[in-house]
Amino acid sequence: MSDFDDESTFEDTFFTISRSSDGLYKDRSSKFFYFSFPVKNEEEIKSHLAELRKKYYDARHHCFAWTLGKDADQFRANDDGEPNHSAGDPILGQIRSNNLTNILIVVVRYFGGNKLGMSGLIQAYKTSAAQAIEENEIIEEQVKAAVSIQFPYPVMNDVMKLIKTHDLQILAQEMTLDCQMQLEFRKGLEELIVSSLEEIEGLELTVI
């Protein structure tokens, strides 16, 4: 049996959340509205942050943390005016303790008139982030890879057989003088898929 026959050997999966969610945590008259979002890039993160700032324009603080990438090697934590490390880091800590990535958590605070102190703030933001995760659903996702292929009609059966065998997803296709497709599959299969496609006569391949 080759390594490709056992998909459990692939290190191409990660844990994230399945959907957007929100809720409210209160502590001594301060309100902490928390939000969690599954995200794939910084553009999505900026969009969510902008929408929340527009909707909750009168809030004193919009604190957040996010991670991106299979190994969560891209990340940021922001205190947004709260004392250093009292908000963003506790939020990020909850993301990491749940081994999550491709996630954004935002906690919007309305000050209630009573100061919570450093430990109180840390606890409030930590609890808000924890509830944002707890009230969502953690799922396992696969890192994806994709290729663009072009091939003559006579080898269509060979291509479709490969697509069916490895359950490849057709992202786009165009049938003109030749056939063109964009295929997506789990990253752990990339070497096998590319080498198998390259064996098909007349097929041209580009890794996207």
Side-chain angles (χ1 to χ4, degrees):
M1 177 183 292
S2 70
D3 289 341
F4 295 118
D5 295 322
D6 182 7
E7 294 190 358
S8 66
T9 63
F10 299 152
E11 295 182 358
D12 62 354
T13 61
F14 59 89
F15 291 99
T16 187
I17 53 174
S18 65
R19 63 184 187 277
S20 300
S21 64
D22 61 82
L24 172 63
Y25 173 75
K26 297 180 180 180
D27 187 352
R28 282 166 281 180
S29 299
S30 280
K31 295 180 179 180
F32 297 84
F33 292 91
Y34 52 81
F35 307 85
S36 60
F37 305 94
V39 291
K40 294 182 179 179
N41 52 58
E42 290 193 48
E43 287 70 29
E44 289 186 16
I45 292 170
K46 291 176 182 177
S47 177
H48 288 307
L49 290 172
E51 289 178 8
L52 289 176
R53 288 192 182 279
K54 182 177 180 180
K55 183 175 182 179
Y56 299 93
Y57 63 90
D58 56 341
R60 179 170 291 193
H61 306 284
H62 287 246
C63 306
F64 63 86
W66 55 259
T67 59
L68 290 173
K70 181 181 77 72
D71 300 314
D73 50 359
Q74 302 175 59
F75 61 90
R76 186 182 176 194
N78 191 307
D79 297 312
D80 193 38
E82 294 281 34
N84 288 345
H85 309 298
S86 67
D89 282 353
I91 298 172
L92 182 60
Q94 288 304 298
I95 292 174
R96 286 176 167 167
S97 66
N98 284 276
N99 194 30
L100 300 175
T101 189
N102 285 17
I103 179 175
L104 164 69
I105 294 181
V106 185
V107 181
V108 177
R109 181 191 181 191
Y110 283 87
F111 182 59
N114 297 316
K115 293 185 177 181
L116 304 183
M118 188 69 170
S119 61
L121 285 174
I122 292 173
Q123 186 60 39
Y125 283 104
K126 176 182 177 181
T127 302
S128 297
Q131 291 184 184
I133 295 170
E134 182 179 340
E135 295 167 13
N136 209 299
E137 177 189 11
I138 295 177
I139 58 173
E140 186 175 23
E141 293 254 334
Q142 297 173 351
V143 180
K144 299 293 186 178
V147 295
S148 176
I149 58 175
Q150 182 173 334
F151 54 91
Y153 280 95
V155 299
M156 172 69 81
N157 286 342
D158 293 331
V159 173
M160 295 309 296
K161 181 179 179 181
L162 184 64
I163 289 173
K164 184 177 181 180
T165 299
H166 297 289
D167 194 25
L168 311 186
Q169 181 179 359
I170 301 175
L171 299 179
Q173 60 181 335
E174 182 179 348
M175 305 301 177
T176 53
L177 294 178
D178 285 328
C179 305
Q180 299 179 43
M181 290 184 179
Q182 288 185 7
L183 305 176
E184 185 179 70
F185 42 87
R186 64 182 301 173
K187 182 72 173 176
L189 284 172
E190 183 172 11
E191 183 180 345
L192 173 63
I193 298 302
V194 169
S195 63
S196 298
L197 286 169
E198 288 176 340
E199 291 177 0
I200 298 176
E201 185 175 354
L203 184 144
E204 298 179 6
L205 178 149
T206 303
V207 178
I208 303 175

